[in-house]
Amino acid sequence: MKHLLIVFHSQSGNTERLAQAAAEGARTERELVETRVVLAADAGLGDLLWADAVLFGTPENFGFMSGMLKDFFDRTYYAARGRIRTLPYAVFISAGNDGTGAVRQIERIARGYPLRKVAEPLIATSGVTEEMRSVDPDGSRVPTTDAQLMQAHELGQTLAAGLACGVF
Ligand SMILES: Cc1cc2nc3c(=O)[nH]c(=O)nc-3n(C[C@H](O)[C@H](O)[C@H](O)COP(=O)(O)O)c2cc1C
């Protein structure tokens, strides 16, 4: 049995919906791959030691990954050094209109962690317009679309299938 870990933070539910869709996709391989979904605040070294691959999910906040996901990296970096092999990973981001800042930071951390990117990042933007911002300044009530949930489902399935086939 291989193990896929999904670590995410979500403040207003959008990233959480992506995480759930990714987990559903991953569980299409449930006979060969066990999927564990953990809030970044609750995740720790034990989860990394358990994992054969990791999916990271975060909203983009102020051009960064969320503080809670950064905290997970901060807490586990030294503890994981020398104890985990290079783990295959991918990311999914929920963002009002950008998302690239969060991706860049995670990819930079991944280079030193060690993590190896095995799928392109999924950025689910809600296309917030200025008009929408006037009633919803942080874009947090803009819903994740079905198409984005489908993409997250595919991302989870891709990671799990890669583990199941032993391609990572
Ligand atoms: C404090 C804060 C800062 C944000 N900064 C950005 C940003 O820099 N770029 C962006 O595209 N969206 C930004 N957003 C919008 C969120 O990324 C977006 O609403 C996302 O879907 C929230 O995900 P969540 O529901 O999982 O918390 C911000 C939202 C908040 C609350």
Side-chain angles (χ1 to χ4, degrees):
M1 200 73 170
K2 295 284 186 168
H3 296 156
L4 174 63
L5 175 66
I6 301 179
V7 179
F8 78 98
H9 174 73
S10 182
Q11 185 165 306
S12 50
N14 290 329
T15 316
E16 182 170 13
R17 282 189 282 280
L18 295 173
Q20 283 163 355
E24 257 178 52
R27 286 178 179 137
T28 56
E29 300 286 347
R30 61 168 53 79
E31 282 172 16
L32 294 170
V33 179
E34 188 182 339
T35 300
R36 181 188 284 184
V37 185
V38 192
L39 282 172
D42 298 332
L45 178 64
D47 296 298
L48 283 175
L49 293 174
W50 174 86
D52 295 301
V54 191
L55 257 176
F56 297 104
T58 178
E60 179 170 84
N61 287 344
F62 302 127
F64 292 81
M65 77 181 89
S66 68
M68 297 313 281
L69 185 61
K70 173 69 163 42
D71 170 71
F72 167 79
F73 285 121
D74 292 349
R75 281 187 290 109
T76 55
Y77 177 63
Y78 278 125
R81 266 173 94 177
R83 299 193 60 191
I84 58 166
R85 65 187 178 87
T86 301
L87 290 172
Y89 85 98
V91 302
F92 54 94
I93 311 289
S94 180
N97 55 9
D98 189 356
T100 54
V103 170
R104 251 196 323 277
Q105 290 147 10
I106 295 172
E107 290 187 344
R108 188 162 177 216
I109 288 174
R111 283 199 286 277
Y113 205 77
L115 295 159
R116 178 170 55 91
K117 184 167 89 172
V118 293
E120 286 309 307
L122 165 59
I123 300 181
T125 56
S126 38
V128 178
T129 64
E130 283 314 308
E131 191 187 346
M132 289 152 93
R133 277 208 184 282
S134 65
V135 292
D136 181 11
D138 64 18
S140 61
R141 284 180 295 280
V142 180
T144 309
T145 65
D146 287 349
Q148 290 164 348
L149 293 177
M150 191 79 80
Q151 287 176 307
H153 189 279
E154 278 171 21
L155 184 61
Q157 195 167 14
T158 300
L159 271 271
L163 281 177
C165 305
V167 296
F168 297 148

